[in-house]
Amino acid sequence: MGLLTAALAVAAGATGSVVLAPVLLGVAGFTSVGIAAGSYAAGMMSTAAIANGGGVAAGSAVALLQSAGMAGLSGAASAAVAGAGGTVGAIIAAVV
């Protein structure tokens, strides 16, 4: 596979992951109006609350995902998601 194809795979992975992240957060139940009842996110929140004596700890995975679900990805989060997506694109390009 050529360098151009690899670069396109990295770009597609980075862009696609940033575009799809908000959609996947919503599907999991992290919505703009809060955690959806009966969703995977609600299960995560319940587990986190039980583990922490009834509350969800600030900075926990559930808190960060809910924040992203309500307000969207921050610049740093977008960069991290793009980096991960680009890495997956590079791996796929190397394997194919």
Side-chain angles (χ1 to χ4, degrees):
M1 195 165 292
L3 183 60
L4 178 60
T5 304
L8 289 173
V10 170
T15 303
S17 62
V18 171
V19 169
L20 287 177
V23 174
L24 295 177
L25 284 169
V27 168
F30 297 102
T31 71
S32 61
V33 294
I35 291 180
S39 66
Y40 181 74
M44 285 181 66
M45 184 177 177
S46 175
T47 301
I50 291 168
N52 289 308
V56 176
S60 67
V62 174
L64 294 173
L65 290 170
Q66 182 53 38
S67 176
M70 291 187 83
L73 296 176
S74 67
S78 292
V81 168
T87 300
V88 171
I91 291 169
I92 291 171
V95 171
V96 176

